[in-house]
Amino acid sequence: MNSSAFAVAADVHNQSTIENMKRDLLNLDINSQIGSCMPIASMRIGTFIHNIEVNPGQGGKLVRAAGTSAKILKEPKSRYCLIRLPSGAEKLIDTRCRATVGTVSNPSHGAKKLRKAGQSRWLGRRPVVRGVAMNPVDHPHGGGEGRSKSSGSYGKGSRTPWGKPCKCGFKTAKNRRRN
């Protein structure tokens, strides 16, 4: 075999390799690349996403906690796209908003056991104290001899720390106007 025959064989091999690479690139779906960030309009239905923008160009605001993901429910063909959040709520989000494909890492974050009370304090969590265990000056449920259910001798129902009733349908939240 002479050198020209080797050159022709090498050219044919290189050309077939290049054609195979082109075919692979055409078949490569950008939606399947986990970790790629793109507008919701260019994603398919059923894609799991996280770090979702609420307004275009604002930066990711939703679904950022460890191990969470949201799912695209309706095809993003119109101006808005329906997305199911980890809470189960469904939200319409602008299709120009960007999101990252995949789920957030470290799903076992919530399962970690705290070994002692101090470890909870390191995380910035303050202790929760029942109102019944306080003095009357600190909480409406406080005071009384022994284990008393209400404050003092006169029986009041359950109250918030600010003295408002919190049972029997009493509305404690501020009224929001509904359209």
Side-chain angles (χ1 to χ4, degrees):
M1 232 183 200
N2 56 12
S3 62
S4 63
F6 279 120
V8 171
D11 275 345
V12 171
H13 179 68
N14 286 344
Q15 202 168 15
S16 65
T17 306
I18 290 170
E19 286 176 13
N20 285 340
M21 288 173 70
K22 283 182 183 176
R23 199 174 324 112
D24 288 345
L25 285 173
L26 286 173
N27 293 338
L28 187 65
D29 182 19
I30 197 148
N31 274 336
S32 64
Q33 292 182 344
I34 293 173
S36 58
C37 182
M38 64 186 87
I40 295 172
S42 61
M43 295 181 187
R44 287 196 316 245
I45 190 167
T47 307
F48 285 100
I49 56 175
H50 67 276
N51 198 27
I52 307 165
E53 289 181 332
V54 177
N55 299 317
Q58 190 180 34
K61 299 281 184 238
L62 301 175
V63 193
R64 303 192 320 178
T68 56
S69 66
K71 187 176 184 181
I72 298 176
L73 297 179
K74 279 192 181 169
E75 196 70 46
K77 288 186 177 171
S78 63
R79 175 94 191 269
Y80 293 97
C81 177
L82 188 67
I83 292 174
R84 182 182 291 132
L85 300 173
S87 63
E90 295 177 357
K91 191 172 175 79
L92 284 171
I93 293 182
D94 196 325
T95 53
R96 296 173 298 167
C97 293
R98 296 170 70 86
T100 308
V101 178
T103 60
V104 187
S105 66
N106 198 11
S108 61
H109 172 74
K112 192 171 109 177
K113 273 292 217 191
L114 300 177
R115 296 185 310 273
K116 57 183 189 172
Q119 202 166 359
S120 177
R121 297 306 303 272
W122 301 339
L123 298 173
R125 298 178 191 157
R126 300 209 53 229
V128 177
V129 180
R130 296 169 297 126
V132 178
M134 297 180 188
N135 292 322
V137 72
D138 300 318
H139 198 280
H141 296 170
E145 294 293 320
R147 291 187 181 179
S148 61
K149 290 186 179 175
S150 63
S151 67
S153 58
Y154 51 95
K156 287 184 191 170
S158 293
R159 308 251 164 193
T160 66
W162 302 277
K164 292 182 180 177
C166 60
K167 282 194 174 177
C168 303
F170 187 83
K171 303 239 182 310
T172 56
K174 291 183 179 175
N175 292 337
R176 278 192 286 168
R177 236 181 238 158
R178 303 214 171 183
N179 294 339

